[in-house]
Amino acid sequence: MKITVVRPGELGESERARWRALQKADPSLDNPFLSVEFAVAMDRLRDYVRVAVIDDGTGIVGFFPYERHSFGIGKPLGGFLTTCHGLISVPGLKVDVRALLRACRLTVYDFDHLVAGQPTFAAYESDVRPAPVMDFTAGFEAWLEQVKANSPKNLKTVRYKERKLGREQGELRFEYASADPEVLRVLLGWKSDQYRRTGRVDRFAQPWIVELIDLMHAERSADFSGVLTMLYAGDAPVAGHFGLRTATTIVGWFPAYDTEYARYSPGIVHHLRMAEAAAQAGVQMVDMGKGGKEYKDWLKSGELYVSEGRVSRPSPAAAVHWMGRVPFNKARTIVLDRPSLYKAADRVLKGFGRVRSSIQQESSNSVVKEPTGAS
């Protein structure tokens, strides 16, 4: 095996075409976060993005995109922003993983959403988890029947709220694949508010992430594109989503809604409308990502599997990394496995978000008055 490390932007057109061909040949790789377009966009914005090109002597058999941080710490491409990563290769390829790390100048590679079962990394998986999907391969109506079977009461309630929203706020209209940047700004504003309200870090406070979203929104090709959807009541936008798609799969990324309409459950209403529009547009699957909200269990009609784990080469940096990450990952797994703990943690974060918002509001309302007669 010959392993050459370059920046994704340095790949020639023949190499990019090979990447696309490998991805299309393996259904487990049908995820836009594994697409060459995403790697090239990340490379434009981040200096630490690299890709290992693997050649077995007959030609290129794989690509391994990654991030190389200080002390040789390796992370998946896109890190906390993405819900899928791994080796894009011919089926069944097994590379000597420590030789791969050496070629990439990595002391450790830590993963948490790797395509499960890849031979190169399978021995290093510490946990494998399901990622629920909305599967439309049998048609939208078949999927909807599965949703009804999952919870008839939930579907009935959401349909009632959908009708009520249209009746009280204006006729409902759904826009699929909007190209309007102002609509995207509305959605990102809602999402930032949600992050702050629930005690999470606002990802869009980092300008490069906003620029990445803009680059992805501008992508328009048969194999890869950004998909912006929006639900309107009358002329008012009420709920939307921005995600990425391959020819057949959309990955859930940034859903959000206007909290003024929260009583109508606009996020779920939007998801039902998005599912119908996506199926009509030829999408066969919406990958909702592992973990998180209860609505995923209700809307799912299938599952994919992703793994987390760690592989390293002996070094002081790898030892320090182990002490910092492994106990945290184990604690997170315990919380995710116990609904009562997950809900308690979520309540704590939301409480923190409310306190922080209150402090910010008080600060903005405070006015320092100048003494009388001050010049």
Side-chain angles (χ1 to χ4, degrees):
M1 293 281 182
K2 178 183 178 183
I3 302 174
T4 306
V5 175
V6 298
R7 298 189 64 149
E10 296 171 346
L11 295 173
E13 190 49 49
S14 63
E15 294 164 316
R16 297 186 189 195
R18 177 60 173 161
W19 184 319
R20 296 186 188 103
L22 290 173
Q23 187 180 13
K24 290 180 180 180
D26 186 343
S28 73
L29 303 178
D30 187 19
N31 186 296
F33 288 130
L34 300 177
S35 297
V36 65
E37 289 84 357
F38 182 73
V40 170
M42 282 291 300
D43 183 32
R44 288 178 59 180
L45 301 173
R46 303 281 88 184
D47 289 338
Y48 45 65
V49 174
R50 299 290 185 274
V51 59
V53 182
I54 305 166
D55 191 314
D56 70 350
T58 65
I60 295 175
V61 292
F63 296 89
F64 176 60
Y66 66 97
E67 297 178 3
R68 185 181 186 279
H69 294 267
S70 300
F71 307 108
I73 302 301
K75 297 181 180 180
L77 183 66
F80 62 90
L81 284 175
T82 63
T83 58
C84 186
H85 42 260
L87 186 66
I88 298 89
S89 70
V90 296
L93 180 69
K94 185 173 183 179
V95 181
D96 181 333
V97 72
R98 289 196 168 87
L100 179 62
L101 293 189
R102 281 196 300 273
C104 295
R105 297 172 56 217
L106 298 178
T107 57
V108 61
Y109 179 66
D110 194 20
F111 54 89
D112 60 1
H113 287 82
L114 191 90
V115 177
Q118 291 197 332
T120 297
F121 297 101
Y124 303 94
E125 295 175 344
S126 60
D127 195 18
V128 176
R129 292 189 171 273
V133 301
M134 296 189 282
D135 187 344
F136 311 131
T137 52
F140 172 75
E141 292 300 329
W143 170 79
L144 194 60
E145 285 300 314
Q146 180 62 58
V147 171
K148 187 183 299 183
N150 292 345
S151 179
K153 183 178 179 181
N154 277 342
L155 183 59
K156 184 177 180 180
T157 299
V158 171
R159 289 305 194 196
Y160 166 76
K161 290 185 176 182
E162 181 181 33
R163 293 190 298 270
K164 187 176 182 181
L165 174 61
R167 186 169 60 250
E168 295 181 353
Q169 301 297 332
E171 183 179 358
L172 299 187
R173 174 172 61 88
F174 187 82
E175 186 175 13
Y176 180 81
S178 170
D180 190 340
E182 293 306 313
V183 175
L184 181 61
R185 287 285 148 319
V186 170
L187 177 68
L188 299 190
W190 291 340
K191 197 65 180 179
S192 287
D193 177 67
Q194 179 191 342
Y195 286 139
R196 294 189 294 268
R197 194 174 66 250
T198 57
R200 273 73 171 182
V201 174
D202 182 4
R203 296 177 179 181
F204 305 128
Q206 300 185 54
W208 78 266
I209 294 180
V210 177
E211 189 172 353
L212 174 66
I213 302 302
D214 287 338
L215 287 174
M216 297 293 89
H217 185 222
E219 285 282 348
R220 297 284 188 276
S221 74
D223 291 328
F224 183 92
S225 65
V227 181
L228 174 62
T229 56
M230 184 63 71
L231 176 68
Y232 294 85
D235 293 328
V238 297
H241 172 263
F242 180 71
L244 304 179
R245 70 166 286 183
T246 62
T248 56
T249 295
I250 288 180
V251 64
W253 208 7
F254 297 113
Y257 61 87
D258 188 336
T259 55
E260 288 189 16
Y261 302 91
R263 63 187 180 278
Y264 301 105
S265 300
I268 299 297
V269 172
H270 165 275
H271 264 56
L272 290 176
R273 294 285 185 111
M274 180 179 71
E276 184 172 13
Q280 291 175 351
V283 172
Q284 296 178 8
M285 183 180 297
V286 175
D287 183 343
M288 295 184 283
K290 73 171 184 177
K293 304 299 183 179
E294 293 178 1
Y295 76 84
K296 293 181 182 181
D297 284 335
W298 172 50
L299 294 178
K300 75 177 183 180
S301 57
E303 291 176 329
L304 302 175
Y305 289 89
V306 293
S307 65
E308 59 183 64
R310 178 181 182 274
V311 59
S312 65
R313 295 189 294 135
S315 72
V320 171
H321 179 270
W322 185 94
M323 289 187 290
R325 290 296 299 170
V326 173
F328 169 80
N329 289 342
K330 289 183 177 179
R332 182 187 60 188
T333 297
I334 291 172
V335 171
L336 291 174
D337 281 342
R338 300 182 182 180
S340 60
L341 290 179
Y342 179 84
K343 290 180 180 179
D346 191 51
R347 284 197 300 271
V348 169
L349 285 172
K350 288 179 179 177
F352 173 74
R354 287 192 294 269
V355 170
R356 182 169 61 183
S357 296
S358 177
I359 292 173
Q360 291 173 341
Q361 184 63 38
E362 289 180 7
S363 176
S364 64
N365 290 339
S366 298
V367 178
V368 178
K369 295 182 179 180
E370 292 286 353
T372 302
S375 59

